[in-house]
Amino acid sequence: MNYALRQRHAAARLQKTGAGALLVTHLPNVRYLCGFSGSAGVLVLRLSAGRPRAVFYTDGRYRQQASEEVQNAKVVISRKSAMTDACKGVLRAGVEVLGFESEHLPYEQYKTIGQIVRGRARLKPVTGLIEPLRAVKDAGEIEQMRAAALLGCSLFQTALNFIKPGVTESVVAGELELQARRAGAEKMSFDTIVAAGSRSALPHGRASSQAISGSGFVILDYGVILAGYCSDMTRTVHVGKITGARRRMYDAVGVAQMASVNAVRPGVTAGDVDRAGRQILKKAGYGRYFTHSTGHGVGIEIHEQPRLAAGQTQKLEPGMVVTIEPGIYIPEQGGVRIEDMVLVTESGHEILTPTTRELIEL
Ligand code: ZN
Ligand code: ZN
């Protein structure tokens, strides 16, 4: 991972805000800029004649981890408060305008920082400085994401083995998660979704104690984290022989999903990708049952930029990794969603999720 390059890009964006330094408190951003994967620490990115100077502050619990992981930043182990030391360091360097990640700093910490720098530096809220950089993955990140996606796919068959009438959603999720750990996943990207029968009509139906019934859809939506990068995929299977109406639902989602996948290429807007699938579901009469956006960027976090939703004007760029996940949710009856991870390439796209999209009846 080229942390020096990432810090230079961040510094160039910081310069435009007028701030002389940025307190990076959002841990995924800290990880992106210097490699630290622990759960407490603050990175100060300071401009020195337009060039970045990075100092990472943490406490004694992370002394060893910081020395092993942090790259391209000086490490300071604080005896009391990493944040206080970070602010004092910024003042010593003569910074007059101190940027902070306003979407990621608790109000109490904001007040504390204000008291430390009072009269010497002005605080400036900054949003979306690092996140757009993270949206475009470099070659090393793409390799990690490819591996995470493949590991996720390899677990699908395991999950299928446990989907049977009478087995609870929680047990299916638990078996899937155990296999994920055994296969080397650090953890799941998010709470595994197993939503069976009428619960499949809930777009975010976390696995519950409900047992799978003898007939109906089961939505499986899960992901693994490998080397810090998330995967995300959804497949919907049917327990028992599928009926004509449900088959039409499934096929409509399949066609819509492929239409959005095929719309992915550099230069199109996120809204264009959303529209490609959404109009198919509208024409098939399911428009009002597709109640969420088409997808999202994925990477160090499960939900990143860009957001693939109606009206989004952000253009796709090579190196972005997005999910394409249209669905139909009919209350009381059930739902279908199919989700792949898709890499935007120089000439189009590459699907990172090779698992079949054909209907599986169990
Ligand atoms: Zn998902
Ligand atoms: Zn997703």
Side-chain angles (χ1 to χ4, degrees), residues 37-57:
S37 70
S39 50
V42 52
L43 181 75
V44 173
L45 192 68
R46 182 169 62 80
L47 294 171
S48 172
R51 298 191 52 86
R53 290 269 179 280
V55 185
F56 177 68
Y57 297 84

Side-chain angles (χ1 to χ4, degrees), residues 190 193 204 220-223 231-234 296 302-303 323 325 337 339:
F190 53 91
I193 291 172
H204 272 177
L220 274 175
D221 185 351
Y222 65 95
S231 79
D232 188 7
M233 69 180 280
T234 306
H296 53 88
I302 184 63
H303 292 123
T323 69
E325 50 180 306
R337 178 167 67 256
E339 174 181 27

Side-chain angles (χ1 to χ4, degrees), residues 84-213:
T84 301
D85 287 352
C87 292
K88 286 180 178 166
V90 166
L91 292 176
R92 269 198 307 279
V95 170
E96 290 168 358
V97 180
L98 175 57
F100 66 96
E101 295 185 289
S102 58
E103 289 172 305
H104 304 294
L105 190 74
Y107 182 61
E108 286 302 321
Q109 271 192 22
Y110 169 79
K111 284 198 296 186
T112 305
I113 294 168
Q115 283 159 9
I116 297 169
V117 304
R118 184 180 298 154
R120 299 176 66 189
R122 186 163 63 81
L123 291 178
K124 185 179 177 68
V126 171
T127 59
L129 194 107
I130 312 296
E131 285 81 355
L133 299 176
R134 280 173 42 203
V136 178
K137 275 69 182 172
D138 62 31
E141 291 180 293
I142 290 168
E143 281 320 298
Q144 295 297 356
M145 299 208 61
R146 206 186 288 281
L150 283 176
L151 176 57
C153 291
S154 75
L155 299 166
F156 182 61
Q157 187 58 45
T158 300
L160 291 187
N161 293 339
F162 287 93
I163 296 179
K164 293 186 182 72
V167 177
T168 67
E169 295 169 351
S170 287
V171 166
V172 175
E175 295 290 348
L176 174 69
E177 293 179 359
L178 176 62
Q179 291 304 322
R181 292 269 190 174
R182 283 192 169 138
E186 288 159 27
K187 58 177 182 174
M188 307 309 284
S189 307
F190 53 91
D191 287 347
T192 298
I193 291 172
V194 180
S198 60
R199 291 191 77 253
S200 62
L202 307 173
H204 272 177
R206 298 232 160 91
S208 76
S209 57
Q210 184 183 294
I212 293 166
S213 72

Side-chain angles (χ1 to χ4, degrees), residues 134-147 149 260-266 296-298 306 308 316-324 340-353:
R134 280 173 42 203
V136 178
K137 275 69 182 172
D138 62 31
E141 291 180 293
I142 290 168
E143 281 320 298
Q144 295 297 356
M145 299 208 61
R146 206 186 288 281
S260 279
V261 167
N262 287 329
V264 172
R265 72 185 79 91
H296 53 88
V298 57
L308 301 172
L316 299 189
E317 296 173 45
M320 287 180 170
V321 177
V322 298
T323 69
I324 303 291
D340 287 330
M341 282 166 66
V342 179
L343 167 68
V344 185
T345 63
E346 294 291 340
S347 58
H349 64 266
E350 178 192 336
I351 297 173
L352 302 182
T353 310

